[in-house]
Amino acid sequence: MIEIIPAIDIIDGKCVRLSQGDYERKTIYNEDPLEVARMFEDHGIRRLHVVDLDGAKAHHIINYKTLERLATKTQLIIDFGGGLKSDDDLRIAFECGAKMITGGSIAVKQPEIFLSWIEKYGSEHIILGADVKNKKISVGGWLEDTGEELLPFVRNYKGKGIDKVICTDISRDGMLTGPSIGLYTEILEDMEDLYLIASGGVSSMQDIERLQEAGIPAVIFGKAIYEGKISLNDLTKFIVNA
């Protein structure tokens, strides 16, 4: 069964969503992310993807108090990303309750630091973030194109111990236009034992079912829930029937 991972993106301690990573195209869905997280938990969800969008822009962790509330007041398994650039950022994230962290920009800009995290915490706690536009990696909250090709980038880190990757198609994120199944299939054909987490574009339960049929291990999505395209009851039924 495909693993269901709702996303909570945070700006100023609030639950928001951006369109294509554009901070100027922000929608606030709830003033209290904990309320949203508890709602997910009540419907059988066990995993949560939390992104500190303020941190991504500032290049250091900012919304760690919100992370701590989510981790201490729910039983959800949280992976956390956004602005993690130093050993101190990582320490704070884990101390505040993250079970896993996602590193994207750091893996491109300072690979020696990212590799040291894998060695120190183990690959079970470190996820590689591969944010993609036209099959090239983007960093800095998607504000900077690197020109680095997706497959060699992921393949390199897989060879160094990474086994979990979140791949976000920036062109589809927050657009509700459907996921890039062809892209994810291409990645898994190249690295079939990779735990690939698809992200971006999910607009319906049918999209999730298509990802599952394609053999994608996990999916992250948010806007489809917040805008009523996917109901929590539908997710509960999907989880129960799987």
Side-chain angles (χ1 to χ4, degrees):
M1 174 193 167
I2 192 169
E3 185 173 26
I4 302 294
I5 311 174
I8 291 180
D9 293 353
I10 302 169
I11 291 179
D12 296 330
K14 300 170 184 176
C15 178
V16 308
R17 290 298 284 173
L18 307 181
S19 294
Q20 295 181 309
D22 186 347
Y23 284 73
E24 299 301 316
R25 298 164 70 188
K26 174 184 72 176
T27 303
I28 298 172
Y29 286 106
N30 197 301
E31 298 282 330
D32 186 5
L34 178 58
E35 185 177 307
V36 178
R38 283 176 166 162
M39 184 173 59
F40 290 147
E41 189 173 39
D42 288 345
H43 284 80
I45 300 295
R46 292 290 168 260
R47 275 284 305 276
L48 186 64
H49 177 66
V50 178
V51 180
D52 181 356
L53 288 174
D54 291 313
K57 210 168 185 178
H59 306 297
H60 62 87
I61 191 169
I62 289 181
N63 285 294
Y64 57 90
K65 289 294 185 185
T66 301
L67 167 62
E68 188 173 43
R69 286 183 70 229
L70 296 175
T72 57
K73 296 183 182 299
T74 75
Q75 297 298 311
L76 294 165
I77 298 168
I78 298 172
D79 74 77
F80 182 83
L84 302 176
K85 296 290 187 290
S86 67
D87 292 345
D88 200 44
D89 285 333
L90 222 65
R91 177 188 58 78
I92 292 168
F94 283 127
E95 285 181 355
C96 289
K99 293 291 188 263
M100 292 166 272
I101 67 91
T102 301
S105 299
I106 188 78
V108 176
K109 300 280 189 151
Q110 296 175 288
E112 67 286 349
I113 293 177
F114 188 68
L115 289 170
S116 75
W117 293 351
I118 300 169
E119 184 176 349
K120 181 175 181 179
Y121 294 99
S123 60
E124 66 272 24
H125 297 294
I126 308 294
I127 303 172
L128 176 65
D131 299 334
V132 181
K133 197 172 188 178
N134 299 321
K135 293 189 179 180
K136 290 184 171 59
I137 300 294
S138 290
V139 297
W142 304 344
L143 300 175
E144 179 185 346
D145 295 325
T146 67
E148 187 154 357
E149 296 285 345
L150 169 64
L151 286 179
F153 175 73
V154 175
R155 199 182 301 122
N156 173 59
Y157 275 111
K158 187 174 184 298
K160 294 176 179 176
I162 281 292
D163 53 27
K164 294 187 288 291
V165 176
I166 297 173
C167 183
T168 303
D169 184 340
I170 296 170
S171 68
R172 299 185 183 232
D173 190 75
M175 303 305 291
L176 301 174
T177 53
S180 296
I181 293 177
L183 175 65
Y184 305 133
T185 301
E186 183 179 349
I187 296 169
L188 288 179
E189 285 174 350
D190 190 87
M191 294 163 275
E192 60 184 22
D193 58 341
L194 187 71
Y195 194 82
L196 180 63
I197 305 167
S199 173
V202 171
S203 64
S204 65
M205 286 305 302
Q206 288 73 28
D207 285 340
I208 294 175
E209 289 163 1
R210 287 170 58 226
L211 286 165
Q212 178 167 261
E213 288 166 5
I216 311 303
V219 58
I220 289 172
F221 55 99
K223 193 170 186 177
I225 298 175
Y226 301 126
E227 304 228 332
K229 307 292 185 182
I230 294 175
S231 76
L232 289 170
N233 288 334
D234 286 340
L235 288 177
T236 301
K237 289 175 188 174
F238 182 82
I239 293 166
V240 168
N241 292 332

